[in-house]
Amino acid sequence: MDPTTDNAGHTGDPGAARASLEALRAEIAKAVVGQDPAVTGLVVALLCRGHVLLEGVPGVAKTLLVRALAAGLDLDTKRVQFTPDLMPSDVTGSLVYDTRTAEFSFQPGPVFTNLLLADEINRTPPKTQSSLLEAMEERQVTVDGTPRPLPDPFLVAATQNPVEYEGTYPLPEAQLDRFLLKLTIPLPSRQDEIDVLTRHAEGFNPRDLRAAGVRPVANAADLEAARAAVAKTTLSPEITAYVVDICRATRESPSLTLGVSPRGATALLATSRAWAWLTGRDYVTPDDVKALALPTLRHRVQMRPEAEMEGVTADSVINAILTHVPVPR
């Protein structure tokens, strides 16, 4: 691909695109402390044209993480606070009657953007949650029988509180499967928490990321060049078979009622490829697959109730599978 330069000075060169995405990770770190795996996951999702679900207890900077990502990208972004009374049309848009022309015109909703922050998505009922299904999968919104394409790139970054919290509506399997990655945001370590408090004591304002020095360092041209380079990353037949074996093993696990579908296997292949390219390689290794297995697969399996009662988790099942499935040499 011949390098091209846009008006902002960004080129379509893959090497420059990788540097821009590395710079994006550094910009996010100016606002968010100690969440490197989640930052990397968001960048991987951008490369794979996928969506991300961020789960964690209140107060661990889930929303700040996505806002910092938006601030580091030269892309249009919108935020929707999901509440129990939110209607589907509040997300997708609706037809509005114009008294001057005596006709109905379409008023686009916040979903018509490059980066949509769906804040606390599991605090709204399933009817409104499902309004994102077509947008996430088909990259379009259909109102009154007319499909309307969404901008490219388009990414939904949704946050949710753990399902055992009051006032939450668990996302159905079909909705979860639309998310490329599910990233868990843990409580910070002691040192990271000290760093957070020190930043605040020195005047850091999470509502003013520009004052914190977060600037746009990557744009749509960088993403397009990066995605083209990821598509050229070599996949050996052994790696493809390794991904299939991992996913098939989840379908045979006695702890699960639902294993990973072929769509999940395709997702793991894509995320492994993106991670390999990000780390500077043009080929995928088994370690790349292992690195992305948990965030790519944990939300695509369903636990048996008896296994959950014994303290078994989706992560522990997947980790056990990674231990037992033969690794290609």
Side-chain angles (χ1 to χ4, degrees):
M1 182 175 59
D2 294 331
T4 57
T5 304
D6 65 10
N7 293 332
H10 293 258
T11 72
D13 176 64
R18 185 187 286 115
S20 294
L21 293 177
E22 286 294 333
L24 174 62
R25 294 165 70 184
E27 288 297 304
I28 297 172
K30 292 179 181 178
V32 181
V33 176
Q35 299 291 358
D36 291 342
V39 172
T40 299
L42 286 168
V43 175
V44 167
L46 282 170
L47 290 174
C48 298
R49 301 180 187 272
H51 310 288
V52 179
L53 181 63
L54 300 162
E55 182 179 275
V57 298
V60 291
K62 299 186 298 295
T63 303
L64 178 60
L65 180 61
V66 181
R67 288 181 55 240
L69 172 71
L73 288 167
D74 187 16
L75 298 174
D76 184 48
T77 179
K78 290 186 174 68
R79 176 181 180 273
V80 177
Q81 180 66 50
F82 280 73
T83 57
D85 60 347
L86 193 74
M87 298 297 292
S89 59
D90 295 330
V91 179
T92 60
S94 59
L95 293 175
V96 178
Y97 184 71
D98 190 336
T99 55
R100 292 172 300 177
T101 62
E103 293 180 350
F104 284 93
S105 62
F106 178 67
Q107 183 66 36
V111 75
F112 286 85
T113 186
N114 296 124
L115 175 59
L116 177 69
L117 168 54
D119 216 357
E120 296 187 298
I121 191 173
N122 62 336
R123 289 202 179 278
T124 197
K127 180 180 180 180
T128 305
Q129 291 175 4
S130 65
S131 66
L132 281 174
L133 282 174
E134 181 186 17
M136 293 171 70
E137 186 64 23
E138 307 297 334
R139 313 286 167 144
Q140 67 179 24
V141 168
T142 301
V143 176
D144 196 33
T146 303
R148 293 174 169 84
L150 294 171
D152 183 43
F154 172 69
L155 179 142
V156 174
T159 71
Q160 73 169 13
N161 295 319
V163 293
E164 62 267 19
Y165 275 62
E166 291 186 12
T168 60
Y169 299 83
L171 294 173
E173 288 77 14
Q175 179 92 38
L176 284 171
D177 202 41
R178 296 302 194 279
F179 287 100
L180 179 73
L181 299 171
K182 180 183 177 183
L183 306 173
T184 56
I185 311 299
L187 288 165
S189 66
R190 180 176 181 273
Q191 186 55 55
D192 285 341
E193 196 163 0
I194 289 173
D195 291 344
V196 170
L197 267 62
T198 300
R199 287 189 181 191
H200 279 263
E202 292 173 349
F204 172 72
N205 182 358
R207 286 170 288 280
D208 188 0
L209 295 179
R210 183 166 290 276
V214 182
R215 298 286 187 274
V217 293
N219 66 2
D222 297 319
L223 286 178
E224 196 60 39
R227 288 167 175 172
V230 169
K232 296 176 182 176
T233 303
T234 303
L235 277 168
S236 69
E238 292 78 13
I239 291 295
T240 304
Y242 182 51
V243 169
V244 169
D245 290 343
I246 291 171
C247 295
R248 291 181 68 86
T250 64
R251 303 168 203 162
E252 300 166 0
S253 171
S255 299
L256 303 177
T257 58
L258 179 69
V260 177
S261 69
R263 189 199 332 236
T266 302
L268 181 54
L269 206 64
T271 56
S272 303
R273 215 174 189 184
W275 174 239
W277 180 82
L278 265 180
T279 53
R281 280 179 283 102
D282 61 356
Y283 59 93
V284 181
T285 70
D287 285 341
D288 297 325
V289 177
K290 289 182 178 181
L292 273 298
L294 283 180
T296 308
L297 304 181
R298 59 163 60 106
H299 56 297
R300 303 175 191 273
V301 300
Q302 196 172 76
M303 300 294 302
R304 291 189 182 278
E306 54 269 30
E308 285 187 300
M309 291 177 64
E310 294 173 0
V312 180
T313 64
D315 283 14
S316 64
V317 172
I318 294 169
N319 277 325
I321 288 171
L322 291 175
T323 301
H324 290 98
V325 171
V327 178
R329 299 298 177 190

